[in-house]
Structures are given as C-alpha cells and as structure tokens.
Amino acid sequence: MIPIRDLLLLCLSLLTVASAFTHSKQNRLRCQAQYSSLFDDTGDGGGSLFSSDVASMKSASGPKVQTDSNGKTIEVGSTVRVSTGGKVTKAFHVTKKLHGSFESETKKFTPSDDDNFFVLPDGLQGTVTKVISPEIGDRPQPIVVKFGPNGEVDAGFDLPATFSMHMSTKEILVV
C-alpha cells in the first residue's frame, strides 16, 4: 500500500511538470510554498523537498503593486479614469441598456440596437474593486473597475447602468 505522503508527492510532482509549460516559475514557487508543509518532516522548513525554492521566494523583495502610466499606485477603492490614448475600447459583456457609445462633444449616451457592445469613452471614471498582483504573469488585464451611473456625473458622462470590467494598467489613470 502506498503511503498518503508519497501519493501526494507524486500528484504534486505531476501537476508541477504538467503546468510548467503554461505557468511562470513564480507561480510554481507559490504553489510549492503553499504545499511544502505537507512534505516537511521537521516542521522548521528545513526538511522539505522545496525548502530552497521557498527560501528564495521569501527572500524576494516586498509585495509588488500595480501602477498606472504616470507611476501612481493602483489600489482597491482608487478612483480611476479611462485613458486609452485615442484607441477604441469596447465592453462586450454588458447589459443591453449599455449597447452604444457617448458622443465626444456633448457626452450624451447614444444607444445602438445594431451593436452588441459599449464603447468606453476617454475620461469615464470608475472605482477599482480588485487588483491582481503583477507576480501573476498570465493576467493581461489585472485591474477590475466598476463603472456606475452615480460616479460618472463628475466627468460629464451619465451611464444608464452599472458594469464592471477588467482593465490593463495602460488603459486607466488614477485620479
């Protein structure tokens, strides 16, 4: 009969090898650090198979943060505005009330029955609800921003409905 410890070690090894092709080394180290206590005989971190990897991960510099193009830190609760530099940004998974765009001069919302997306205008403001660490390298849009009808009046836009959207750090600026 195979001891549970050996079975867990085998499963973790297979998962580590299988995911090595799609995940960065930092993610693999984070996974190993999370489960290293399963393989630690001494309880002091010295007897683990992954103790050298965990030690190198712990000695890395402090927590990394997301910053906008001006170098300001993006945190949960921050007010941000859309700044795409003239590039059209579309939100597809929104309610039908938001299908359309804003006129650039009057900032009045124009609904569209033909389009199934919302065109985000430059200057639209929202609140950051989630920030994913830059250490997780597989997230092209690590910031979740909530846009709503009440917070947008300051920027001149009056949204007909609330929605959330994943944004990249290049698409938003902290206000």
Side-chain angles (χ1 to χ4, degrees):
M1 183 161 173
I2 300 174
I4 188 123
R5 176 182 164 175
D6 293 342
L7 185 60
L8 288 172
L9 179 60
L10 177 63
C11 290
L12 184 61
S13 298
L14 291 174
L15 287 173
T16 302
V17 169
S19 66
F21 296 105
T22 58
H23 290 75
S24 67
K25 181 178 180 182
Q26 192 68 23
N27 288 341
R28 183 175 50 81
L29 293 176
R30 189 177 303 107
C31 178
Q32 290 172 349
Q34 183 177 358
Y35 296 105
S36 66
S37 63
L38 294 173
F39 312 110
D40 187 2
D41 293 330
T42 62
D44 63 357
S48 170
L49 292 171
F50 308 116
S51 61
S52 62
D53 287 341
V54 173
S56 67
M57 189 173 139
K58 288 180 181 176
S59 66
S61 60
K64 296 184 180 176
V65 295
Q66 297 284 4
T67 57
D68 66 6
S69 57
N70 290 335
K72 293 184 180 178
T73 301
I74 301 171
E75 300 173 333
V76 173
S78 299
T79 300
V80 294
R81 68 178 171 87
V82 176
S83 176
T84 59
K87 186 182 98 178
V88 176
T89 303
K90 298 177 182 178
F92 286 94
H93 297 281
V94 293
T95 180
K96 262 191 160 179
K97 291 180 187 178
L98 284 170
H99 290 180
S101 61
F102 281 94
E103 294 178 18
S104 59
E105 294 176 10
T106 63
K107 294 187 178 182
K108 182 178 179 184
F109 181 72
T110 307
S112 173
D113 293 332
D114 299 332
D115 298 328
N116 62 349
F117 56 83
F118 170 63
V119 178
L120 273 77
D122 276 357
L124 183 68
Q125 293 183 0
T127 305
V128 175
T129 58
K130 185 176 184 179
V131 179
I132 300 170
S133 172
E135 293 175 350
I136 302 174
D138 61 347
R139 305 294 169 110
Q141 295 151 330
I143 314 296
V144 179
V145 180
K146 183 175 183 179
F147 299 97
N150 297 334
E152 310 315 322
V153 178
D154 295 337
F157 300 102
D158 190 16
L159 284 172
T162 301
F163 72 101
S164 292
M165 184 171 174
H166 286 262
M167 307 287 290
S168 75
T169 57
K170 297 176 184 173
E171 296 173 322
I172 57 175
L173 292 173
V174 176
V175 177

